[in-house]
Amino acid sequence: MTWSWEYLPSEQHVTAGAPADFLAAVEQRAAELVRAAEALYLDGISYQGSGEPMRYLDVAGGLLAYYVVPRLELVVCQVTPPPAP
């Protein structure tokens, strides 16, 4: 298995109406989170503890909420885009 990230519940639902620059920043941060999780959980599939709690990052004026699921080698992301001008 290999580490990845995804939107919850779906990319189409979560990103609808979000600015393109915000989504690009979210995707960049999500890729960084995947690399960090991969380094922290070298064998995520055999991980026995509970998962991490939901965490939050300010990204390009919006909010990225994420949590790491080591046994699935997955970073799950939800976003709140910045307010419209």
Side-chain angles (χ1 to χ4, degrees), residues 26 29-30 33 55-57 59 62-66 77-80:
V26 165
R29 291 305 295 263
L33 291 168
R55 299 203 175 156
Y56 303 90
L57 294 172
V59 177
L63 184 68
L64 168 62
Y66 72 94
C77 300
Q78 295 179 322
V79 297
T80 303

Side-chain angles (χ1 to χ4, degrees), residues 41 50-56 66-68:
Y41 301 103
S50 61
E52 295 183 8
M54 179 80 72
R55 299 203 175 156
Y56 303 90
Y66 72 94
Y67 58 94
V68 178

Side-chain angles (χ1 to χ4, degrees), residues 70-83:
R71 285 177 286 212
L72 297 178
E73 295 189 344
L74 181 66
V75 177
V76 179
C77 300
Q78 295 179 322
V79 297
T80 303

Side-chain angles (χ1 to χ4, degrees), residues 1-82:
M1 195 168 210
T2 183
W3 279 88
S4 62
W5 69 274
E6 65 182 37
Y7 289 109
L8 181 70
S10 70
E11 181 176 2
Q12 186 178 37
H13 176 78
V14 172
T15 63
D21 60 335
F22 170 71
L23 294 177
V26 165
E27 290 177 9
Q28 180 180 0
R29 291 305 295 263
E32 292 170 1
L33 291 168
V34 165
R35 287 191 298 274
E38 190 172 30
L40 182 60
Y41 301 103
L42 295 176
D43 187 13
I45 295 172
S46 64
Y47 182 74
Q48 295 297 312
S50 61
E52 295 183 8
M54 179 80 72
R55 299 203 175 156
Y56 303 90
L57 294 172
D58 178 28
V59 177
L63 184 68
L64 168 62
Y66 72 94
Y67 58 94
V68 178
V69 186
R71 285 177 286 212
L72 297 178
E73 295 189 344
L74 181 66
V75 177
V76 179
C77 300
Q78 295 179 322
V79 297
T80 303

